[in-house]
Amino acid sequence: MSARSALRDAMPDRPRGAASLPRTIPRKAEPDAFGFDALRALAIERAQAASGDLWTDYNLHDPGVSLLEALCFALTEDVFAARQPVPTLLGLDEASPLAAWERLGLHDREALLPCRPVSEADWRLWLGHALPGARQLAMNALKDWRGRAVGLWRMTLQASTDRPDGDRRLRERALRAFHAARALGEDLAEPPRLLAPRWVRLDVQLSVTGERDLGDLLAEVLRRCDAGMSRRVQTPLDGQDDPEPPAGLADDPDLPGGPMGRPTTRAERRWLAEDDDFLYASDLGRLLQEVPGVASVEGLRLRAVIDGDDRPEDLTAPPGSVARRGRDWALRLRWPSSPEELRGWVVRRDGLRVQLPEEALLTQLALQRRVDHARDAAILRAEAAKTMGGERLDAPAPLPARRDGHLAAVGALPPLYHEALQLRDAAQPGLRAQWAGYAALLELGLNQAQQQREQLPRLFALDDPDSRSYWHEWPGDAQLPGVESLYLVNRREAQDDLALDADRLERRHRFLDFQLALHGEVLDQTVLDGLPRYHAPDAWRRHLLAQKRQFMRRVIRLGRDRGAGADYGRPLFGDLDNTPPLQERLGLMLGLARTESRRLTLVLETLQKHGVRFERESRRSPRPRPPSDDGAPSADRAPSGAQRVEALSTQDRRQPVRRLLDPALPRLPRSAVDWKELAARLRAWAARQDLARVPPALLRAAVDPGRFRHDEAGRLRLIADNDSDWVIADGMAEDAALRLARELHAAACLLQADGEGLHLVEHLLLRPVGAPTPEGSQVPALTDADRRVSVVLAGWTARGRDERFRMLAAQALEREAPAHLRCELVWLDARDLLTFEHRWVKWLDQRRAYETALLAGEAAADLIGALDEAASALGRWFQRRRPGPSMRPGTSEPGDRT
């Protein structure tokens, strides 16, 4: 149920005729357990029990009873407000714009339930919706010899206009519509095929009845025949029915279904059920029988505009039908444009033949054609804005401002109380201040409840960066005159002290979990505990909160559109909205620093330009890592090149060492890291160790701040395992060693956080675009490798090398990926990742150039050749790195696949 539906259901129904009846408040049969009467009775009972013999006055005018009633009124007001519908508490109603609901994570079922096109019927409905006016629209799935879909589609259609640029515009719109709804592992087998028109004329004999204008009736006859012949779905503007709920859903006609987000109309279902290859005269006759004013169809004939325009497909047409389409052509109705073309029209009214006003009729038909074209253009603009760019939404109202100075509960007391207090204050100095202090204790809790209720939209708001979970308000002079002078601290600063909301991040997490649960989603980040991380503890908690908020803010795309693919005609890197939702979803579940598609080797390339070369990783499986001093898992126990680590004598190992870095210390910012100087240090260190290349295990170990040590001999050590150390520098004072350790630690964290991400490779898109289809087959030659989807991750980082992290990634991919896809994880070391990204970026550039050329017309042969060459190089690279038959899944072989 949508949030708006819930609001409607929460409002009481008004019977018919109630507008003329006076409004009344029905009496309750029994007192409310949380109402004023019950609360007052309970308070008096507790006061009597506590006072014992001191309680003497039971009259309603007793000052204590009056004060008690004021408190009960204030408490029951909050109880009454809390019982309002949730949208009301959030400041929403039926008139609120859609953006106001969505900013609070509340979506209508119309946005939640539609799905992406899956079947041929789904695609035809979707394309018919996105391409209004397109003729002879067909979308067919290619299948192999076993009858299984291979993920390739063939689209054929015909332009609805005779303009010279109509075909180019239609091709562009068709490609954009396909890319907007394309799923992972799917592609067009070839660019949309535009069918040339095979022009035919219509001769018809009709019997009409009624007083309908003859010109209007004949224009409707031509429009219906044109739509039926051109395979155009009839819209309500063409005189068709409104949406009809499918069988079994008559009680809920608004329930969305399929990619359209609504039940199909009768016209759409008939359009899908019609034969696609041949056009029967009876089909056109049935359409004409539905035209208001047509009594019967006595004759109907199609004549070719060009004499002798015979096609081979006509030979296979059943009797009474004509081939609707061929490989590169389709039928198209030519509207009459001269008196000679109306010679075959016969119209009878009441049995008498009607003399057609030829000139006036031709003028009216031409006018109707222009109206139809203008209508199609208007529908096209509206659908394009909705399909491609989304609907423009009004800006939501601002979030409620923090209000200071709520109405005090003691302000409801009779004036007699305040007058008596002023009279007694002269005789008893300080009495008024004492009263203000006691009243402040009462108002503090009441203010807290009111403030929380008013600020509830801020807890729901997904665009509010404020991470507070409570909004405190302490009474001021506006509520209780004189109370400001009693505070020992600044009231406004003290009530905003973060110590009063110490667990705000935990509470924010729980609230986001509740919002996600409303959509059937969960983001369990506890599985990331104990894994290596590149943030200080406080920054890590804030990072996880930001990721959960991003998940909730994009829950529609990450949930409903989980199987969507990227549009390679647009830039892929840096565009979160063009990142496949499955890729973003996996990145959020694995706690990656960034989840959009991007380059993962920019910093590695920077170090490489400064002369740093990385060692190839060991072919052994990553071992479990013992916890370090701060509880975080350590780096590899047996790093590559460990046998060449500088050995320390027993006496040197026994020298007192000091742990340098505090795990809670914030990381140095990116601007504080000099990558050129770091590269020089790494080269010098490798030369000292007699290493030709830098082992990535060194950078993995530097992520753990507990591994840096400094001994009395001035050595800066980096703990490799229990038996060996890396000596980073000699003869350094403690302050210099601390600076160097912080720089190396920050660089290692930034380098690996920047290098962790996902690349999602659809191997079906790597097939040769320019390769011809094998003779006798309608399906391009495909192998099992073409049906895979590879998820490429960095396997050289501290987390990518961790066996538990790899297991979590494999479990997440198995759980989240569409069931029909063969998805696999590919873990790459630093050297292989550099090679892969070089080939991947080259293919992306060529694919984008190819898609751009298709939007403008046809792709040149050299462009197709360059794309096929880049795809072949990338495919060969994957093929060379596939594990052998003897290797088990989960090993750390470069190019390891799980």
Side-chain angles (χ1 to χ4, degrees):
M1 180 180 293
S2 66
R4 294 193 179 190
S5 300
L7 179 60
R8 277 197 305 269
D9 296 341
M11 295 181 176
D13 296 331
R14 181 183 299 180
R16 294 183 179 180
S20 59
L21 298 178
R23 289 180 174 269
T24 60
I25 301 177
R27 294 186 177 272
K28 291 189 175 181
E30 55 185 31
D32 187 354
F34 296 97
F36 170 77
D37 294 332
L39 186 59
R40 177 182 179 279
L42 178 62
I44 291 179
E45 179 184 349
R46 296 290 178 86
Q48 290 175 345
S51 61
D53 297 337
L54 297 179
W55 183 273
T56 59
D57 194 349
Y58 299 91
N59 296 321
L60 295 181
H61 64 271
D62 182 271
V65 175
S66 299
L67 183 59
L68 189 64
E69 288 178 344
L71 175 61
C72 292
F73 271 121
L75 293 176
T76 53
E77 178 187 1
D78 292 327
V79 173
F80 172 78
R83 290 176 172 176
Q84 295 178 350
V86 173
T88 302
L89 292 174
L90 297 176
L92 300 172
D93 54 31
E94 289 289 341
S96 299
L98 186 60
W101 293 76
E102 292 181 348
R103 79 181 305 184
L104 304 181
L106 302 176
H107 300 276
D108 281 347
R109 58 188 177 188
E110 287 79 3
L112 288 170
L113 297 184
C115 66
R116 306 185 74 79
V118 177
S119 65
E120 291 183 353
D122 287 343
W123 269 112
R124 289 167 67 183
L125 283 174
W126 165 262
L127 293 173
H129 181 69
L131 305 171
R135 301 169 181 270
Q136 304 291 356
L137 178 61
M139 188 73 165
N140 302 109
L142 303 189
K143 300 179 181 179
D144 59 13
W145 62 275
R146 296 177 180 176
R148 300 178 304 181
V150 297
L152 293 176
W153 296 86
R154 178 168 288 128
M155 186 194 311
T156 56
L157 69 169
Q158 191 180 76
S160 60
T161 177
D162 302 333
R163 294 175 55 183
D165 61 343
D167 288 347
R168 181 185 63 80
R169 290 176 177 271
L170 182 62
R171 176 194 291 267
E172 178 183 354
R173 296 199 306 269
L175 283 171
R176 292 189 184 279
F178 176 79
H179 292 154
R182 185 184 74 87
L184 285 174
E186 293 186 352
D187 193 19
L188 286 175
E190 58 189 15
R193 185 181 299 167
L194 299 176
L195 303 177
R198 181 188 180 186
W199 294 102
V200 295
R201 291 193 178 96
L202 176 68
D203 290 340
V204 63
Q205 297 178 14
L206 299 175
S207 178
V208 301
T209 185
E211 301 299 328
R212 185 176 180 183
D213 179 72
L214 185 60
D216 179 62
L217 187 147
L218 294 180
E220 179 70 13
V221 165
L222 283 169
R223 186 164 59 246
R224 291 293 183 94
C225 288
D226 192 5
M229 186 181 305
S230 299
R231 296 282 296 131
R232 290 179 58 189
V233 62
Q234 300 289 312
T235 65
L237 289 178
D238 295 324
Q240 294 296 308
D241 56 350
D242 293 328
E244 175 191 339
L249 296 179
D251 57 336
D252 194 358
D254 296 330
L255 183 66
M260 303 305 298
R262 57 165 173 79
T264 55
T265 65
R266 285 194 296 269
E268 289 171 338
R269 290 197 295 275
R270 187 171 59 193
W271 177 62
L272 294 174
E274 285 178 353
D275 181 69
D276 194 38
D277 296 326
F278 304 102
L279 175 65
Y280 291 83
S282 59
D283 293 336
L284 295 181
R286 188 186 67 252
L287 289 176
L288 298 187
Q289 290 284 5
E290 298 176 356
V291 176
V294 174
S296 63
V297 180
E298 300 171 356
L300 191 148
R301 178 172 176 263
L302 295 178
R303 293 187 295 108
V305 172
I306 302 176
D307 294 335
D309 186 16
D310 298 328
R311 305 297 171 100
E313 291 82 1
D314 293 336
L315 300 177
T316 60
S321 68
V322 63
R324 187 193 298 271
R325 60 201 302 163
R327 177 173 175 81
D328 55 0
W329 62 269
L331 288 179
R332 182 79 177 271
L333 179 64
R334 175 85 73 181
W335 285 46
S337 58
S338 65
E340 291 76 14
E341 296 175 0
L342 292 175
R343 297 291 188 260
W345 286 64
V346 177
V347 179
R348 290 184 174 87
R349 189 190 299 270
D350 299 330
L352 300 178
R353 181 168 179 172
V354 179
Q355 183 67 33
L356 297 179
E358 295 178 348
E359 296 297 336
L361 180 58
L362 291 174
T363 302
Q364 188 170 356
L365 293 179
L367 177 61
Q368 184 63 48
R369 290 286 287 166
R370 289 195 296 270
V371 170
D372 289 345
H373 280 301
R375 185 201 61 181
D376 289 343
I379 295 177
L380 173 63
R381 289 191 295 269
E383 295 299 334
K386 187 182 301 182
T387 303
M388 306 302 171
E391 298 182 69
R392 295 185 61 86
L393 302 175
D394 296 332
L399 294 172
R402 181 169 176 171
R403 189 157 63 95
D404 194 5
H406 290 84
L407 180 64
V410 297
L413 295 176
L416 179 63
Y417 283 77
H418 303 285
E419 295 173 2
L421 186 62
Q422 293 177 357
L423 294 175
R424 296 290 299 274
D425 186 54
Q428 293 180 276
L431 181 62
R432 191 167 186 174
Q434 184 181 12
W435 165 258
Y438 281 121
L441 297 177
L442 169 66
E443 301 294 342
L444 187 63
L446 298 177
N447 287 358
Q448 176 72 3
Q450 292 177 352
Q451 192 73 256
Q452 287 302 109
R453 187 177 72 249
E454 292 177 358
Q455 298 301 319
L456 188 61
R458 289 191 176 272
L459 283 177
F460 276 80
L462 301 175
D463 58 350
D464 185 14
D466 195 348
S467 63
R468 286 182 298 179
S469 62
Y470 284 118
W471 285 263
H472 299 270
E473 181 196 348
W474 294 0
D477 284 342
Q479 284 183 290
L480 302 173
V483 74
E484 293 276 7
S485 60
L486 301 179
Y487 287 109
L488 301 179
V489 295
N490 185 290
R491 175 178 68 91
R492 297 185 181 276
E493 295 180 359
Q495 70 184 13
D496 291 333
D497 190 356
L498 295 180
L500 297 177
D501 197 10
D503 297 330
R504 61 190 182 281
L505 294 183
E506 178 64 26
R507 284 191 287 268
R508 280 284 186 171
H509 272 288
R510 293 200 302 267
F511 200 83
L512 284 170
D513 289 337
F514 164 74
Q515 289 181 286
L516 286 171
L518 294 177
H519 300 82
E521 297 284 0
V522 62
L523 182 60
D524 184 11
Q525 297 172 323
T526 60
V527 297
L528 303 177
D529 294 341
L531 291 172
R533 56 177 181 261
Y534 316 117
H535 302 75
D538 288 342
W540 175 247
R541 289 192 291 270
R542 292 193 298 270
H543 169 66
L544 293 181
L545 179 65
Q547 286 198 315
K548 189 171 289 187
R549 181 173 286 175
Q550 176 182 339
F551 194 103
M552 182 60 222
R553 190 168 58 246
R554 299 172 60 82
V555 69
I556 297 292
R557 175 174 170 80
L558 298 179
R560 185 192 70 185
D561 300 333
R562 180 188 305 184
D567 181 359
Y568 292 103
R570 296 164 45 195
L572 186 67
F573 291 154
D575 187 354
L576 193 60
D577 290 332
N578 197 30
T579 298
L582 176 62
Q583 178 177 341
E584 182 183 355
R585 190 180 178 99
L586 291 175
L588 292 172
M589 291 182 171
L590 297 178
L592 302 183
R594 295 165 62 186
T595 57
E596 72 276 11
S597 294
R598 60 189 179 89
R599 292 287 303 276
L600 306 180
T601 58
L602 291 177
V603 181
L604 286 176
E605 288 180 349
T606 300
L607 294 177
Q608 198 175 48
K609 290 178 182 178
H610 294 306
V612 176
R613 298 294 181 267
F614 292 98
E615 188 179 71
R616 185 174 292 280
E617 297 280 18
S618 169
R619 302 167 83 86
R620 294 174 297 177
S621 301
R623 300 182 181 181
R625 303 170 179 175
S628 61
D629 295 342
D630 64 345
S634 61
D636 295 344
R637 296 192 59 180
S640 177
Q643 69 276 12
R644 291 171 290 180
V645 174
E646 180 177 342
L648 298 179
S649 65
T650 305
Q651 182 178 359
D652 289 337
R653 286 187 174 278
R654 291 177 179 175
Q655 288 185 359
V657 295
R658 181 178 180 276
R659 179 173 165 177
L660 281 178
L661 298 183
D662 182 2
L665 196 66
R667 306 283 190 265
L668 291 178
R670 182 180 294 269
S671 58
V673 178
D674 189 335
W675 299 105
K676 183 177 181 179
E677 182 180 352
L678 174 66
R681 289 184 183 274
L682 291 176
R683 292 199 312 270
W685 178 86
R688 174 180 175 178
Q689 306 297 326
D690 196 22
L691 296 175
R693 297 176 181 271
V694 175
L698 172 69
L699 297 174
R700 291 197 291 268
V703 167
D704 184 357
R707 287 176 164 270
F708 289 93
R709 299 289 191 273
H710 184 255
D711 59 23
E712 292 184 350
R715 296 186 182 91
L716 175 60
R717 302 184 191 177
L718 184 60
I719 308 301
D721 54 32
N722 294 333
D723 301 321
S724 60
D725 298 344
W726 278 302
V727 177
I728 305 301
D730 273 335
M732 299 192 73
E734 183 175 343
D735 56 347
L738 177 61
R739 287 195 300 271
L740 178 57
R742 290 199 68 189
E743 292 176 5
L744 181 57
H745 172 58
C749 290
L750 291 170
L751 175 62
Q752 295 179 65
D754 185 75
E756 282 191 350
L758 302 174
H759 290 303
L760 201 149
V761 182
E762 303 171 65
H763 291 264
L764 184 68
L765 273 64
L766 302 184
R767 74 191 188 284
V769 175
T773 302
E775 186 175 355
S777 173
Q778 294 184 349
V779 182
L782 299 175
T783 65
D784 290 339
D786 294 324
R787 297 181 175 92
R788 300 194 321 270
V789 174
S790 295
V791 180
V792 179
L793 301 98
W796 67 272
T797 61
R799 294 210 303 172
R801 191 73 173 172
D802 188 278
E803 189 170 5
R804 189 165 76 89
F805 181 75
R806 294 192 176 195
M807 179 188 66
L808 290 175
Q811 291 175 348
L813 180 61
E814 182 179 4
R815 182 179 62 250
E816 303 297 334
H820 67 283
L821 295 180
R822 287 185 52 194
C823 297
E824 57 185 8
L825 294 175
V826 181
W827 300 93
L828 300 180
D829 66 7
R831 292 177 60 184
D832 283 335
L833 190 59
L834 285 164
T835 304
F836 163 77
E837 277 207 351
H838 173 73
R839 298 174 185 267
W840 175 240
V841 170
K842 184 177 181 180
W843 180 84
L844 287 176
D845 292 341
Q846 295 295 336
R847 180 76 185 198
R848 184 183 176 192
Y850 170 74
E851 298 286 356
T852 303
L854 289 183
L855 292 176
E858 296 288 345
D862 57 344
L863 187 58
I864 295 178
L867 173 61
D868 288 346
E869 181 181 353
S872 177
L874 188 58
R876 290 195 304 269
W877 185 90
F878 271 103
Q879 189 63 31
R880 287 197 302 268
R881 279 153 181 79
R882 289 193 63 79
S886 61
M887 292 193 61
R888 65 176 180 85
T891 59
S892 60
E893 171 100 20
D896 167 41
R897 298 162 184 267
T898 302

